[in-house]
Amino acid sequence: MVTVEIAGKVYQVPAGITLLKALWYTGHEVIRGAGCLGGFCGACATYYRTKDDPKVKTCLACSFAVEDGMAFSFAPPFPARKAIYQISELQDPKQDLFELYPEAPMCRNCNACTEACPQSIDVREGVWRAVFGDFKSVSDMFMNCVMCGLCAPVCIADIAPNLVAIYASRVQGAHFTEKPKDIEARIKAIEEGQYEKDWERILRMSDEELQQATVSCP
């Protein structure tokens, strides 16, 4: 057993369990903050501090193990401003960034966002690449972003880097990435109803027929 402090109260919990399991073990009712349990959804963003270390760090509670003397608590929801836009209606997406997120170029290079990221993304660099229109790099850099939002509260320029990054990634996919011709043709065929009879036939199949059809597929 190890000693941990959860939201200011001391508990004994089994060594090696995750912070989220420690909450359940100690009887906490976790409603907001329990999502995929695999480190992918970002719902369990957490602040923690290890024994004798004054520095508060961040992690995802579902994938970080308790340590003796650790103190932690869930990060509260942060009311970052979310710009409203229709991707298909953007005329100049790279310039539109400055209308939707005018605070983006105000980055002070303090690097607090990067330090706060539990996914080890170079968030500061990503913001600047978005500002300079390199949306492809931003999309690649933030591939592992789980939208936990821990980068937003620490920004002294009031930027929500995760929202800037997801805007850049969406724009990159919608406006600057060549669409595979075969996929477009297949989508058109579906919209025209070419597969409706096949779909109706599949829905009428029994479990055994579905299994056989799956096995026989090339």
Side-chain angles (χ1 to χ4, degrees):
M1 302 291 283
V2 296
T3 301
V4 297
E5 181 184 309
I6 303 175
K9 189 173 181 179
V10 177
Y11 298 90
Q12 292 286 315
V13 300
I17 65 173
T18 64
L19 274 59
L20 189 56
K21 288 183 178 179
L23 285 165
W24 286 328
Y25 182 86
T26 53
H28 288 78
E29 184 179 16
V30 181
I31 299 175
R32 180 198 175 275
C36 68
L37 306 184
F40 298 106
C41 74
C44 58
T46 300
Y47 294 115
Y48 77 93
R49 180 181 55 77
T50 53
K51 187 177 182 179
D52 298 327
D53 186 354
K55 185 176 179 60
V56 175
K57 303 175 184 178
T58 62
C59 70
L60 300 177
C62 70
S63 54
F64 200 83
V66 296
E67 298 179 22
D68 188 53
M70 172 187 283
F72 67 91
S73 62
F74 269 147
F78 187 76
R81 183 185 63 82
K82 295 182 180 180
I84 305 300
Y85 52 87
Q86 290 291 337
I87 285 288
S88 60
E89 297 176 3
L90 297 174
Q91 299 300 312
D92 188 356
K94 294 186 178 182
Q95 190 62 35
D96 290 338
L97 169 69
F98 304 113
E99 294 184 11
L100 296 169
Y101 293 104
E103 63 276 10
M106 303 301 290
C107 173
R108 299 293 189 269
N109 290 312
C110 69
N111 216 39
C113 53
T114 299
E115 291 189 13
C117 180
Q119 298 295 86
S120 300
I121 297 170
D122 190 343
V123 181
R124 181 196 64 83
E125 178 68 17
V127 169
W128 278 116
R129 292 196 182 196
V131 168
F132 284 100
D134 189 0
F135 286 5
K136 175 64 168 61
S137 291
V138 178
S139 180
D140 292 339
M141 291 175 67
F142 281 79
M143 186 65 68
N144 292 327
C145 175
V146 294
M147 294 298 290
C148 66
L150 287 169
C151 53
V154 299
C155 180
I156 60 175
D158 295 323
I159 302 168
N162 58 326
L163 299 182
V164 171
I166 200 169
Y167 169 81
S169 297
R170 287 169 173 168
V171 165
Q172 177 62 31
H175 288 268
F176 304 120
T177 300
E178 184 178 358
K179 307 298 186 297
K181 298 293 189 298
D182 291 342
I183 292 180
E184 289 186 344
R186 182 58 59 89
I187 291 174
K188 182 179 180 181
I190 293 172
E191 291 175 343
E192 292 175 349
Q194 293 186 25
Y195 300 101
E196 286 187 5
K197 290 183 178 179
D198 292 327
W199 183 238
E200 291 174 0
R201 178 176 58 83
I202 290 171
L203 290 176
R204 290 194 298 268
M205 285 183 174
S206 65
D207 290 344
E208 291 182 358
E209 289 173 327
L210 283 171
Q211 186 175 12
Q212 184 60 37
T214 303
V215 171
S216 61
C217 284

Short mmCIF file of all heavy atoms in Angstrom, two decimals, residues 30-94:
data_model
loop_
_atom_site.label_atom_id
_atom_site.label_comp_id
_atom_site.label_asym_id
_atom_site.label_seq_id
_atom_site.Cartn_x
_atom_site.Cartn_y
_atom_site.Cartn_z
N VAL A 30 -16.76 8.96 -9.72
CA VAL A 30 -16.19 9.64 -10.88
C VAL A 30 -17.21 9.61 -12.01
O VAL A 30 -17.47 8.57 -12.60
CB VAL A 30 -14.88 8.96 -11.33
CG1 VAL A 30 -14.30 9.70 -12.54
CG2 VAL A 30 -13.87 8.94 -10.19
N ILE A 31 -17.81 10.75 -12.28
CA ILE A 31 -18.77 10.86 -13.37
C ILE A 31 -18.10 11.57 -14.54
O ILE A 31 -17.88 10.99 -15.59
CB ILE A 31 -20.03 11.63 -12.92
CG1 ILE A 31 -20.71 10.86 -11.77
CG2 ILE A 31 -21.00 11.81 -14.09
CD1 ILE A 31 -21.90 11.57 -11.17
N ARG A 32 -17.74 12.83 -14.34
CA ARG A 32 -16.93 13.50 -15.34
C ARG A 32 -15.47 13.13 -15.08
O ARG A 32 -14.98 13.23 -13.97
CB ARG A 32 -17.07 15.02 -15.25
CG ARG A 32 -16.23 15.74 -16.29
CD ARG A 32 -16.00 17.19 -15.97
NE ARG A 32 -15.09 17.78 -16.94
CZ ARG A 32 -13.76 17.73 -16.85
NH1 ARG A 32 -13.19 17.11 -15.84
NH2 ARG A 32 -13.01 18.28 -17.79
N GLY A 33 -14.78 12.66 -16.10
CA GLY A 33 -13.38 12.31 -15.92
C GLY A 33 -13.09 10.85 -16.19
O GLY A 33 -11.93 10.44 -16.16
N ALA A 34 -14.11 10.06 -16.45
CA ALA A 34 -13.90 8.66 -16.80
C ALA A 34 -14.42 8.45 -18.21
O ALA A 34 -15.62 8.51 -18.46
CB ALA A 34 -14.62 7.73 -15.83
N GLY A 35 -13.50 8.22 -19.14
CA GLY A 35 -13.91 8.05 -20.53
C GLY A 35 -13.46 6.72 -21.08
O GLY A 35 -13.97 5.67 -20.71
N CYS A 36 -12.44 6.76 -21.93
CA CYS A 36 -12.01 5.54 -22.63
C CYS A 36 -11.21 4.60 -21.74
O CYS A 36 -11.11 3.41 -22.02
CB CYS A 36 -11.16 5.93 -23.83
SG CYS A 36 -9.56 6.67 -23.39
N LEU A 37 -10.59 5.11 -20.68
CA LEU A 37 -9.73 4.35 -19.76
C LEU A 37 -8.47 3.84 -20.44
O LEU A 37 -7.79 2.96 -19.92
CB LEU A 37 -10.49 3.17 -19.13
CG LEU A 37 -11.81 3.51 -18.41
CD1 LEU A 37 -12.38 2.26 -17.77
CD2 LEU A 37 -11.59 4.60 -17.38
N GLY A 38 -8.15 4.39 -21.61
CA GLY A 38 -6.97 3.93 -22.33
C GLY A 38 -6.02 5.04 -22.74
O GLY A 38 -5.10 4.82 -23.52
N GLY A 39 -6.25 6.25 -22.24
CA GLY A 39 -5.34 7.35 -22.56
C GLY A 39 -5.58 8.00 -23.90
O GLY A 39 -4.69 8.64 -24.46
N PHE A 40 -6.81 7.87 -24.44
CA PHE A 40 -7.08 8.40 -25.78
C PHE A 40 -8.08 9.56 -25.81
O PHE A 40 -8.08 10.33 -26.76
CB PHE A 40 -7.59 7.28 -26.69
CG PHE A 40 -6.61 6.17 -26.90
CD1 PHE A 40 -6.79 4.95 -26.27
CD2 PHE A 40 -5.49 6.35 -27.70
CE1 PHE A 40 -5.87 3.92 -26.45
CE2 PHE A 40 -4.57 5.33 -27.88
CZ PHE A 40 -4.76 4.11 -27.25
N CYS A 41 -8.95 9.66 -24.81
CA CYS A 41 -10.03 10.65 -24.91
C CYS A 41 -9.73 11.95 -24.18
O CYS A 41 -10.36 12.97 -24.46
CB CYS A 41 -11.34 10.05 -24.39
SG CYS A 41 -11.42 9.89 -22.59
N GLY A 42 -8.79 11.96 -23.25
CA GLY A 42 -8.43 13.19 -22.57
C GLY A 42 -9.37 13.63 -21.47
O GLY A 42 -9.20 14.71 -20.89
N ALA A 43 -10.37 12.80 -21.15
CA ALA A 43 -11.37 13.20 -20.15
C ALA A 43 -10.80 13.30 -18.74
O ALA A 43 -11.29 14.07 -17.92
CB ALA A 43 -12.55 12.23 -20.17
N CYS A 44 -9.77 12.51 -18.45
CA CYS A 44 -9.27 12.42 -17.07
C CYS A 44 -8.03 13.28 -16.83
O CYS A 44 -7.11 12.87 -16.10
CB CYS A 44 -8.99 10.96 -16.70
SG CYS A 44 -7.78 10.15 -17.79
N ALA A 45 -7.99 14.46 -17.44
CA ALA A 45 -6.86 15.37 -17.23
C ALA A 45 -6.69 15.65 -15.74
O ALA A 45 -7.66 15.96 -15.04
CB ALA A 45 -7.10 16.67 -17.99
N THR A 46 -5.46 15.54 -15.27
CA THR A 46 -5.20 15.58 -13.83
C THR A 46 -3.95 16.39 -13.51
O THR A 46 -2.97 16.37 -14.26
CB THR A 46 -5.01 14.14 -13.30
OG1 THR A 46 -6.20 13.39 -13.55
CG2 THR A 46 -4.70 14.12 -11.81
N TYR A 47 -4.00 17.09 -12.38
CA TYR A 47 -2.82 17.76 -11.83
C TYR A 47 -2.26 16.88 -10.71
O TYR A 47 -3.03 16.33 -9.90
CB TYR A 47 -3.17 19.13 -11.25
CG TYR A 47 -3.63 20.13 -12.28
CD1 TYR A 47 -4.94 20.63 -12.26
CD2 TYR A 47 -2.77 20.59 -13.26
CE1 TYR A 47 -5.37 21.56 -13.19
CE2 TYR A 47 -3.19 21.53 -14.20
CZ TYR A 47 -4.48 22.00 -14.16
OH TYR A 47 -4.90 22.92 -15.09
N TYR A 48 -0.94 16.73 -10.67
CA TYR A 48 -0.35 15.94 -9.59
C TYR A 48 1.00 16.51 -9.17
O TYR A 48 1.64 17.27 -9.90
CB TYR A 48 -0.18 14.47 -10.03
CG TYR A 48 0.99 14.22 -10.95
CD1 TYR A 48 2.24 13.84 -10.45
CD2 TYR A 48 0.86 14.38 -12.33
CE1 TYR A 48 3.31 13.61 -11.30
CE2 TYR A 48 1.93 14.16 -13.19
CZ TYR A 48 3.15 13.77 -12.66
OH TYR A 48 4.22 13.56 -13.51
N ARG A 49 1.40 16.13 -7.98
CA ARG A 49 2.70 16.52 -7.44
C ARG A 49 3.27 15.32 -6.70
O ARG A 49 2.57 14.67 -5.93
CB ARG A 49 2.55 17.72 -6.50
CG ARG A 49 3.86 18.21 -5.89
CD ARG A 49 3.61 19.39 -4.95
NE ARG A 49 2.63 19.08 -3.92
CZ ARG A 49 2.89 18.33 -2.85
NH1 ARG A 49 4.10 17.81 -2.66
NH2 ARG A 49 1.95 18.10 -1.95
N THR A 50 4.53 15.01 -6.95
CA THR A 50 5.15 13.88 -6.27
C THR A 50 5.77 14.34 -4.95
O THR A 50 5.94 15.53 -4.70
CB THR A 50 6.24 13.24 -7.15
OG1 THR A 50 7.16 14.25 -7.59
CG2 THR A 50 5.61 12.58 -8.37
N LYS A 51 6.11 13.38 -4.12
CA LYS A 51 6.61 13.64 -2.78
C LYS A 51 7.85 14.54 -2.80
O LYS A 51 8.78 14.30 -3.56
CB LYS A 51 6.94 12.32 -2.09
CG LYS A 51 7.32 12.44 -0.62
CD LYS A 51 7.55 11.07 -0.01
CE LYS A 51 7.89 11.18 1.47
NZ LYS A 51 8.10 9.83 2.08
N ASP A 52 7.84 15.57 -1.97
CA ASP A 52 8.96 16.50 -1.79
C ASP A 52 9.29 17.31 -3.04
O ASP A 52 10.35 17.95 -3.10
CB ASP A 52 10.23 15.74 -1.33
CG ASP A 52 10.04 15.05 0.00
OD1 ASP A 52 9.29 15.59 0.84
OD2 ASP A 52 10.62 13.97 0.20
N ASP A 53 8.42 17.29 -4.04
CA ASP A 53 8.65 18.09 -5.25
C ASP A 53 7.58 19.18 -5.31
O ASP A 53 6.39 18.89 -5.37
CB ASP A 53 8.55 17.20 -6.49
CG ASP A 53 8.93 17.96 -7.77
OD1 ASP A 53 9.15 19.18 -7.70
OD2 ASP A 53 9.00 17.31 -8.83
N PRO A 54 7.98 20.45 -5.28
CA PRO A 54 6.98 21.53 -5.29
C PRO A 54 6.31 21.74 -6.64
O PRO A 54 5.26 22.38 -6.73
CB PRO A 54 7.81 22.76 -4.90
CG PRO A 54 9.19 22.45 -5.40
CD PRO A 54 9.35 20.96 -5.19
N LYS A 55 6.88 21.18 -7.70
CA LYS A 55 6.35 21.42 -9.05
C LYS A 55 5.10 20.58 -9.30
O LYS A 55 5.10 19.36 -9.12
CB LYS A 55 7.40 21.08 -10.11
CG LYS A 55 6.97 21.41 -11.54
CD LYS A 55 8.09 21.15 -12.52
CE LYS A 55 7.67 21.46 -13.94
NZ LYS A 55 7.27 22.87 -14.12
N VAL A 56 4.04 21.24 -9.73
CA VAL A 56 2.80 20.56 -10.10
C VAL A 56 2.88 20.19 -11.58
O VAL A 56 3.20 21.02 -12.43
CB VAL A 56 1.57 21.45 -9.84
CG1 VAL A 56 0.30 20.78 -10.36
CG2 VAL A 56 1.45 21.76 -8.36
N LYS A 57 2.59 18.93 -11.88
CA LYS A 57 2.68 18.43 -13.25
C LYS A 57 1.30 17.95 -13.72
O LYS A 57 0.33 18.01 -12.96
CB LYS A 57 3.71 17.29 -13.33
CG LYS A 57 5.09 17.70 -12.85
CD LYS A 57 6.05 16.52 -12.83
CE LYS A 57 7.41 16.92 -12.25
NZ LYS A 57 8.34 15.76 -12.17
N THR A 58 1.24 17.48 -14.95
CA THR A 58 -0.03 17.02 -15.51
C THR A 58 0.09 15.60 -16.02
O THR A 58 1.18 15.13 -16.37
CB THR A 58 -0.48 17.92 -16.67
OG1 THR A 58 0.50 17.84 -17.72
CG2 THR A 58 -0.66 19.35 -16.23
N CYS A 59 -1.05 14.91 -16.07
CA CYS A 59 -1.08 13.55 -16.60
C CYS A 59 -2.52 13.19 -16.93
O CYS A 59 -3.45 13.96 -16.67
CB CYS A 59 -0.49 12.55 -15.60
SG CYS A 59 -1.54 12.29 -14.14
N LEU A 60 -2.70 12.01 -17.50
CA LEU A 60 -4.02 11.43 -17.69
C LEU A 60 -4.20 10.36 -16.62
O LEU A 60 -3.41 9.42 -16.54
CB LEU A 60 -4.15 10.83 -19.10
CG LEU A 60 -3.95 11.82 -20.25
CD1 LEU A 60 -4.03 11.09 -21.59
CD2 LEU A 60 -4.99 12.93 -20.19
N ALA A 61 -5.21 10.51 -15.79
CA ALA A 61 -5.37 9.67 -14.61
C ALA A 61 -5.55 8.19 -14.93
O ALA A 61 -5.23 7.33 -14.12
CB ALA A 61 -6.56 10.16 -13.78
N CYS A 62 -6.04 7.89 -16.13
CA CYS A 62 -6.30 6.49 -16.47
C CYS A 62 -5.04 5.73 -16.86
O CYS A 62 -5.06 4.50 -16.96
CB CYS A 62 -7.32 6.40 -17.60
SG CYS A 62 -6.68 6.97 -19.20
N SER A 63 -3.94 6.46 -17.10
CA SER A 63 -2.74 5.79 -17.59
C SER A 63 -1.48 6.20 -16.82
O SER A 63 -0.37 6.06 -17.32
CB SER A 63 -2.54 6.09 -19.09
OG SER A 63 -2.54 7.47 -19.34
N PHE A 64 -1.67 6.70 -15.60
CA PHE A 64 -0.53 7.12 -14.78
C PHE A 64 -0.65 6.47 -13.41
O PHE A 64 -1.71 6.53 -12.78
CB PHE A 64 -0.51 8.65 -14.65
CG PHE A 64 0.82 9.21 -14.24
CD1 PHE A 64 1.80 9.44 -15.19
CD2 PHE A 64 1.08 9.50 -12.91
CE1 PHE A 64 3.03 9.97 -14.82
CE2 PHE A 64 2.30 10.02 -12.53
CZ PHE A 64 3.28 10.26 -13.49
N ALA A 65 0.42 5.83 -12.95
CA ALA A 65 0.37 5.06 -11.71
C ALA A 65 0.64 5.93 -10.48
O ALA A 65 1.37 6.92 -10.55
CB ALA A 65 1.39 3.92 -11.76
N VAL A 66 0.04 5.55 -9.38
CA VAL A 66 0.25 6.26 -8.12
C VAL A 66 1.67 6.03 -7.61
O VAL A 66 2.30 5.02 -7.92
CB VAL A 66 -0.76 5.81 -7.04
CG1 VAL A 66 -2.18 6.14 -7.44
CG2 VAL A 66 -0.61 4.32 -6.75
N GLU A 67 2.15 6.99 -6.85
CA GLU A 67 3.44 6.88 -6.17
C GLU A 67 3.24 7.25 -4.70
O GLU A 67 2.35 8.06 -4.38
CB GLU A 67 4.48 7.81 -6.79
CG GLU A 67 4.81 7.54 -8.24
CD GLU A 67 5.82 8.54 -8.78
OE1 GLU A 67 6.56 9.14 -7.96
OE2 GLU A 67 5.87 8.73 -10.00
N ASP A 68 4.04 6.69 -3.84
CA ASP A 68 3.92 7.01 -2.42
C ASP A 68 4.20 8.49 -2.19
O ASP A 68 5.19 9.04 -2.68
CB ASP A 68 4.91 6.17 -1.61
CG ASP A 68 4.69 6.32 -0.11
OD1 ASP A 68 3.55 6.13 0.34
OD2 ASP A 68 5.66 6.66 0.60
N GLY A 69 3.31 9.15 -1.47
CA GLY A 69 3.48 10.56 -1.17
C GLY A 69 2.93 11.50 -2.23
O GLY A 69 3.04 12.72 -2.11
N MET A 70 2.34 10.94 -3.28
CA MET A 70 1.80 11.76 -4.36
C MET A 70 0.52 12.47 -3.93
O MET A 70 -0.27 11.96 -3.15
CB MET A 70 1.52 10.87 -5.58
CG MET A 70 0.77 11.54 -6.71
SD MET A 70 0.30 10.38 -8.01
CE MET A 70 1.86 10.17 -8.85
N ALA A 71 0.32 13.68 -4.46
CA ALA A 71 -0.93 14.42 -4.27
C ALA A 71 -1.50 14.71 -5.65
O ALA A 71 -0.76 15.09 -6.56
CB ALA A 71 -0.68 15.71 -3.52
N PHE A 72 -2.81 14.53 -5.83
CA PHE A 72 -3.39 14.79 -7.15
C PHE A 72 -4.87 15.15 -7.04
O PHE A 72 -5.53 14.88 -6.04
CB PHE A 72 -3.20 13.59 -8.08
CG PHE A 72 -3.97 12.35 -7.70
CD1 PHE A 72 -5.24 12.11 -8.20
CD2 PHE A 72 -3.40 11.40 -6.85
CE1 PHE A 72 -5.94 10.97 -7.86
CE2 PHE A 72 -4.09 10.25 -6.51
CZ PHE A 72 -5.37 10.03 -7.02
N SER A 73 -5.36 15.75 -8.11
CA SER A 73 -6.78 16.07 -8.24
C SER A 73 -7.10 16.28 -9.70
O SER A 73 -6.23 16.66 -10.50
CB SER A 73 -7.16 17.32 -7.43
OG SER A 73 -6.45 18.44 -7.91
N PHE A 74 -8.36 16.03 -10.07
CA PHE A 74 -8.79 16.25 -11.45
C PHE A 74 -8.68 17.73 -11.81
O PHE A 74 -8.92 18.60 -10.98
CB PHE A 74 -10.24 15.82 -11.64
CG PHE A 74 -10.41 14.39 -12.06
CD1 PHE A 74 -11.51 13.67 -11.64
CD2 PHE A 74 -9.50 13.77 -12.90
CE1 PHE A 74 -11.69 12.35 -12.03
CE2 PHE A 74 -9.66 12.46 -13.30
CZ PHE A 74 -10.76 11.74 -12.86
N ALA A 75 -8.32 17.99 -13.07
CA ALA A 75 -8.34 19.36 -13.57
C ALA A 75 -9.79 19.76 -13.83
O ALA A 75 -10.52 19.01 -14.47
CB ALA A 75 -7.52 19.46 -14.85
N PRO A 76 -10.23 20.90 -13.35
CA PRO A 76 -11.62 21.32 -13.58
C PRO A 76 -11.82 21.70 -15.05
O PRO A 76 -10.85 22.02 -15.75
CB PRO A 76 -11.77 22.54 -12.67
CG PRO A 76 -10.38 23.09 -12.56
CD PRO A 76 -9.46 21.91 -12.58
N PRO A 77 -13.04 21.68 -15.54
CA PRO A 77 -13.31 22.11 -16.92
C PRO A 77 -12.86 23.55 -17.11
O PRO A 77 -13.06 24.39 -16.24
CB PRO A 77 -14.83 21.97 -17.04
CG PRO A 77 -15.23 21.03 -15.96
CD PRO A 77 -14.27 21.25 -14.84
N PHE A 78 -12.23 23.83 -18.25
CA PHE A 78 -11.74 25.18 -18.52
C PHE A 78 -12.56 25.80 -19.65
O PHE A 78 -12.69 25.20 -20.72
CB PHE A 78 -10.26 25.15 -18.91
CG PHE A 78 -9.64 26.51 -19.02
CD1 PHE A 78 -9.31 27.22 -17.88
CD2 PHE A 78 -9.39 27.07 -20.26
CE1 PHE A 78 -8.74 28.49 -17.98
CE2 PHE A 78 -8.83 28.33 -20.37
CZ PHE A 78 -8.50 29.04 -19.23
N PRO A 79 -13.13 26.98 -19.42
CA PRO A 79 -14.04 27.58 -20.42
C PRO A 79 -13.32 28.28 -21.56
O PRO A 79 -13.52 29.48 -21.80
CB PRO A 79 -14.85 28.57 -19.57
CG PRO A 79 -13.88 29.01 -18.52
CD PRO A 79 -13.06 27.79 -18.19
N ALA A 80 -12.49 27.56 -22.28
CA ALA A 80 -11.80 28.15 -23.43
C ALA A 80 -12.81 28.52 -24.51
O ALA A 80 -13.80 27.81 -24.71
CB ALA A 80 -10.77 27.17 -23.99
N ARG A 81 -12.56 29.61 -25.19
CA ARG A 81 -13.48 30.05 -26.24
C ARG A 81 -13.31 29.19 -27.49
O ARG A 81 -12.22 29.05 -28.02
CB ARG A 81 -13.21 31.52 -26.60
CG ARG A 81 -14.18 32.09 -27.64
CD ARG A 81 -13.78 33.50 -28.02
NE ARG A 81 -12.47 33.54 -28.65
CZ ARG A 81 -12.26 33.26 -29.95
NH1 ARG A 81 -13.27 32.91 -30.72
NH2 ARG A 81 -11.04 33.33 -30.46
N LYS A 82 -14.40 28.63 -27.96
CA LYS A 82 -14.39 27.81 -29.17
C LYS A 82 -14.99 28.60 -30.32
O LYS A 82 -16.15 29.01 -30.27
CB LYS A 82 -15.19 26.52 -28.96
CG LYS A 82 -14.60 25.59 -27.92
CD LYS A 82 -15.43 24.32 -27.80
CE LYS A 82 -14.84 23.39 -26.76
NZ LYS A 82 -15.64 22.14 -26.62
N ALA A 83 -14.19 28.83 -31.34
CA ALA A 83 -14.68 29.54 -32.51
C ALA A 83 -15.68 28.67 -33.26
O ALA A 83 -15.55 27.45 -33.32
CB ALA A 83 -13.52 29.92 -33.42
N ILE A 84 -16.70 29.30 -33.82
CA ILE A 84 -17.71 28.60 -34.61
C ILE A 84 -17.44 28.84 -36.09
O ILE A 84 -17.31 29.98 -36.53
CB ILE A 84 -19.13 29.09 -34.25
CG1 ILE A 84 -19.38 28.97 -32.74
CG2 ILE A 84 -20.18 28.30 -35.03
CD1 ILE A 84 -19.27 27.56 -32.20
N TYR A 85 -17.34 27.77 -36.85
CA TYR A 85 -17.06 27.91 -38.28
C TYR A 85 -17.56 26.69 -39.03
O TYR A 85 -17.74 25.62 -38.46
CB TYR A 85 -15.56 28.09 -38.53
CG TYR A 85 -14.69 27.02 -37.88
CD1 TYR A 85 -14.42 25.82 -38.53
CD2 TYR A 85 -14.16 27.22 -36.60
CE1 TYR A 85 -13.63 24.85 -37.93
CE2 TYR A 85 -13.37 26.25 -36.00
CZ TYR A 85 -13.11 25.07 -36.66
OH TYR A 85 -12.33 24.10 -36.06
N GLN A 86 -17.78 26.88 -40.34
CA GLN A 86 -18.11 25.79 -41.24
C GLN A 86 -16.91 25.58 -42.16
O GLN A 86 -16.58 26.45 -42.96
CB GLN A 86 -19.36 26.12 -42.07
CG GLN A 86 -20.65 26.15 -41.27
CD GLN A 86 -21.07 24.77 -40.78
OE1 GLN A 86 -20.67 23.75 -41.36
NE2 GLN A 86 -21.85 24.72 -39.72
N ILE A 87 -16.27 24.43 -42.03
CA ILE A 87 -15.05 24.17 -42.80
C ILE A 87 -15.27 24.40 -44.29
O ILE A 87 -14.44 25.01 -44.98
CB ILE A 87 -14.57 22.72 -42.56
CG1 ILE A 87 -13.91 22.60 -41.18
CG2 ILE A 87 -13.57 22.29 -43.63
CD1 ILE A 87 -12.57 23.26 -41.06
N SER A 88 -16.39 23.92 -44.81
CA SER A 88 -16.63 24.00 -46.26
C SER A 88 -16.85 25.43 -46.75
O SER A 88 -16.72 25.71 -47.94
CB SER A 88 -17.85 23.15 -46.63
OG SER A 88 -19.01 23.60 -45.95
N GLU A 89 -17.17 26.34 -45.84
CA GLU A 89 -17.46 27.72 -46.23
C GLU A 89 -16.27 28.66 -46.09
O GLU A 89 -16.36 29.84 -46.46
CB GLU A 89 -18.64 28.25 -45.41
CG GLU A 89 -19.94 27.48 -45.64
CD GLU A 89 -21.07 27.96 -44.76
OE1 GLU A 89 -20.84 28.94 -44.00
OE2 GLU A 89 -22.16 27.37 -44.80
N LEU A 90 -15.16 28.17 -45.58
CA LEU A 90 -13.97 29.01 -45.42
C LEU A 90 -13.37 29.33 -46.79
O LEU A 90 -13.10 28.43 -47.58
CB LEU A 90 -12.94 28.31 -44.54
CG LEU A 90 -13.36 28.02 -43.09
CD1 LEU A 90 -12.29 27.19 -42.39
CD2 LEU A 90 -13.61 29.31 -42.34
N GLN A 91 -13.16 30.60 -47.07
CA GLN A 91 -12.62 31.03 -48.36
C GLN A 91 -11.10 31.10 -48.35
O GLN A 91 -10.44 30.79 -49.34
CB GLN A 91 -13.21 32.40 -48.73
CG GLN A 91 -14.71 32.40 -48.88
CD GLN A 91 -15.19 31.44 -49.95
OE1 GLN A 91 -14.67 31.42 -51.07
NE2 GLN A 91 -16.19 30.63 -49.62
N ASP A 92 -10.53 31.54 -47.24
CA ASP A 92 -9.08 31.66 -47.11
C ASP A 92 -8.71 31.12 -45.73
O ASP A 92 -8.46 31.90 -44.80
CB ASP A 92 -8.66 33.12 -47.27
CG ASP A 92 -7.15 33.29 -47.33
OD1 ASP A 92 -6.42 32.28 -47.17
OD2 ASP A 92 -6.68 34.43 -47.53
N PRO A 93 -8.68 29.80 -45.57
CA PRO A 93 -8.56 29.19 -44.24
C PRO A 93 -7.36 29.64 -43.42
O PRO A 93 -7.46 29.80 -42.21
CB PRO A 93 -8.48 27.69 -44.55
CG PRO A 93 -9.12 27.55 -45.88
CD PRO A 93 -8.79 28.79 -46.63
N LYS A 94 -6.22 29.87 -44.08
CA LYS A 94 -5.03 30.26 -43.32
C LYS A 94 -5.16 31.68 -42.78
O LYS A 94 -4.71 31.98 -41.68
CB LYS A 94 -3.79 30.11 -44.20
CG LYS A 94 -3.51 28.65 -44.56
CD LYS A 94 -2.21 28.45 -45.31
CE LYS A 94 -1.99 26.97 -45.59
NZ LYS A 94 -0.71 26.71 -46.30
#
